[in-house]
Amino acid sequence: MTNYLGNIRASTLRSRNAGWSIAGSRVAQAFARYNNRRDVRSMQDLSDHLLEDIGLTRDDLSQALRGGPLEDPSGDLTRAALRNRSRRLSLTR
């Protein structure tokens, strides 16, 4: 009987730990999105020349920040940089 109760307790602890793990993961994701938004806002202080060097425009930054405060703009910026790079390469050929 002790073994059975021990298994139940272990199962309950694993379940609780999994719940905390999920909650911690979500908090970490929210914190990362917040940091990414802060970084994109700070990129607005860069000169147009520096933005061009990394393949972005001011409009790209504005478009990436148009989402809500919990949205991560990094994917939008990555796609914009790739799109801009593709355009530049097609113009030089």
Side-chain angles (χ1 to χ4, degrees), residues 21-78:
S21 177
I22 292 169
S25 175
R26 289 190 178 159
V27 168
Q29 289 171 356
F31 189 66
R33 287 190 301 265
Y34 169 79
N35 282 335
N36 288 343
R37 289 188 71 75
R38 185 191 62 207
D39 292 343
V40 171
R41 283 192 303 272
S42 70
M43 289 173 71
Q44 291 175 323
D45 295 335
L46 296 175
S47 70
D48 290 337
H49 179 73
L50 287 175
L51 287 175
E52 185 180 344
D53 283 349
I54 59 176
L56 296 171
T57 65
R58 295 208 178 278
D59 189 46
D60 295 332
L61 298 177
S62 297
Q63 290 295 318
L65 289 171
R66 75 181 182 277
L70 297 179
E71 301 226 4
D72 189 351
S74 59
D76 290 336
L77 288 182
T78 301

Side-chain angles (χ1 to χ4, degrees), residues 10-22:
S11 174
T12 301
L13 286 175
R14 280 193 301 272
S15 174
R16 286 182 186 165
N17 288 340
W20 281 110
S21 177
I22 292 169

